Amino acid sequence: MNEQQTMLADMAGSLFSALSHGATVAADWGRIEEMGFAGLLLGEEEGGFGGGWADAGIVFRLAGYHALALPLVEAVVAARLAADAGFAGDGFGTLAEKTEGGIDDGGFTGFLKGVAWGREAGYVVAPSPSGGAMILSPRDAVIEKRQNAADEPRDILRFSGAPVVPVDADIFALGAAARSMQMAGALDAALELAVGYVNDRKQFGKPLGKLQAVQQALAVFACEAAAANSAAVGVAQALDRGDASFEVAAAKARANMAAGLGTSIGHQAHGAIGFTHEYGLHPLTRRLWSWRSEFGGEHHWTMLLGTRIAAAGADNFWAEMVRRSDPVA
Amino acid sequence: MQTFTIKPFDMPAGAAALREQVRAVIREHVTDGDIVRRANCWQVNDPEFSRVLGKAGLIGMTWPKQYGGHERSALERYIVLEELLSAGAPVGAHWIADRQTAPLLLRYGTEAQRQRWVPGIAAGEIYGCIGLSEPNAGSDLASVRSSARRDGDDWVLNGQKIWTTNAHIAHIMIGLFRSEEGSERNAGLSQFLIPLDTPGITIRPIINLTGEHDFNEVFFDDVRLPADGLVGTEGQGWSQATAELSLERSGPERYLSSHVLVTELIRHAGGSQDAAVLALIGKLASEVWTLRQMSLAVAGRMAAGEDPALEATIVKDLGNSLEQAIPSLIQAVVELDLSSGDALALLTAQLLQVSPSFSLRGGTREILRGIVARGLGLR
Ligand SMILES: Cc1cc2nc3c(=O)[nH]c(=O)nc-3n(C[C@H](O)[C@H](O)[C@H](O)COP(=O)(O)OP(=O)(O)OC[C@H]3O[C@@H](n4cnc5c(N)ncnc54)[C@H](O)[C@@H]3O)c2cc1C
């Protein structure tokens, strides 16, 4: 991390740890606005922070690490896309995971699914039925409140002939990239809890952390957390380079795999205490389980990747993968 | 907590040209039709190909020119290695000398040792082997008992090494011996540079489960070395040997040993609509891509003079688990006739048999995970 990124991480870390999973938009969004986080991906001339995806990746990872119960990552991505579209919305923007319906005479009729905090958002960026993305106003929608397994709002918004602003973006891929970064953070946090717990908790006259079976299991968890974190850094780099279609698929699939092992080992190491509402493991693991399905599960992304690789041919797989991170000659 | 300190890497300018150079060498010289020899290729010996690489300036990439090296960067070296491995080129003969023997001599050796051995290694003509394991010192390496005793200016070695890969084709061994009588555990050990034609050395093949001869037993019976047979500092053998581990554990050979099989799986898939096969290709690509990110991050940190030992251990454990799982994952989704001459079947059969060694050689899975656990602060 460079100096600016270290400052950013310190700022985000202290705010997010104070807000954590108890935050609400009504009470706490003002503090996110105050610090300008929503403008993370906006240029300084656009009134933003002037950051790239590497910077966003640091903040998104910390949002996951602290189980931040606010639509921060969605707002950051939405703000970037709104600026691209020349759209000036009020309030914060959010993302929809899926769209069903069609555009007729410039009006959208149908519904958006998985809209994070749609009930409180000022605008929503969604996959467009005619390709790319579109921006809509939740004020034009009938809102059905829903939530994921971590109680994060994931609303359904129904529209009838609502005005849309088109924008060129792959929302599903950007959402997947953002989730893979949050998952990396949540995995590290759950690992840290588990390590702390087994060093503390004594059975058979010694800390659990001394037992080789426990050590080996947590080492596996650490490897998975490390993989997810590396993938998240890699996808941010690819987004900063430009086309990240391969890397998004690889990173979200890898994060999903890591979430499976990490949540199960994390809970096992904690015994019954980790199964309580009072203890701080579930805000992480319930998010991991939820995020694992959001913006594409393993099958979605591995099929996409596998189909693409098979179509390009066996002898292009390696060459194409490494070409993507080589500087352009 | 961050388990893995990741410094994003940037590939050097000229990466593409360097890859093309390596690929051209492979196209011209790796024409052997025996596809089985592409699997686990850094344990497949072809001295002729090693000399070709030496002539092309692709061994000893980072070493000083005065010792036959090429003074390129660590990432350029990485590019060469990953291109060779992903293509399944037979790089076994010089692999250990390039990865370990020469770097050790450059770091701890005397001027005479460097001049005597390193240029030949860079030329792809001198090969090395690693003498660590003994019959009673496997994972518990600190229980090494083979001894080195001073006699005047000379050293006299006695004892036995085992599982010594390539002792039968190597010119020199770097061996770990107990140089202080009565010393215990990791104290009193020293590293020696042993020309394998020295009188008193007996090398006996150990045939592996596929019937191949890769590793050996090496017996030392009053083997007399001159004073400069010692490498580095007397009594510092343990720390010298373990200092090199990050390099040994995090390279691309720790996740690419089965890569040619992935390539063959993709060829097999062709225009197939088989969802299980396509999803497996995607899963393997996701994991290979991630491991490459990790392995390059470690390479970048080592190039900056750091020793990311924990990260290197993580790369090896994850990488070995992946390359070991590949043949059995393929077996689970593709109907294979392992008696056929089909490339996918031949490679799967070969890798099913040799992949158990992936999580043994260079430190077992359990030992690696113990190191990771210690790195996590488990106590
Ligand atoms: C193909 C191949 C090439 C090799 N090449 C070389 C070489 O060139 N030079 C060289 O010196 N050596 C070489 N080795 C040897 C290798 O380093 C050893 O096999 C390895 O260190 C393990 O030692 P061991 O085989 O004696 O197994 P052991 O140490 O006897 O272990 C057997 C099993 O018990 C487990 N175990 C042991 N201790 C513990 C513990 N504390 N906690 C939990 N589990 C434990 C191990 O993980 C393993 O699963 C090679 C091995 C192979 C397979």
Side-chain angles (χ1 to χ4, degrees), chain A residues 212 216, chain B residues 40 43 96 129-141 161-166 208 214-215 354 356-367:
Chain A
Q212 200 187 38
Q216 298 263 314
Chain B
N40 192 26
Q43 298 221 320
I96 289 167
C129 64
I130 306 168
L132 293 173
S133 305
E134 296 181 3
N136 289 310
S139 297
D140 185 13
L141 185 58
K161 294 293 174 182
I162 194 168
W163 317 126
T164 321
T165 299
N166 280 355
N208 74 16
D214 294 331
F215 50 26
V354 300
S357 70
F358 298 173
S359 56
L360 296 172
R361 62 185 182 190
T364 71
R365 169 177 295 137
E366 290 72 22
I367 295 302

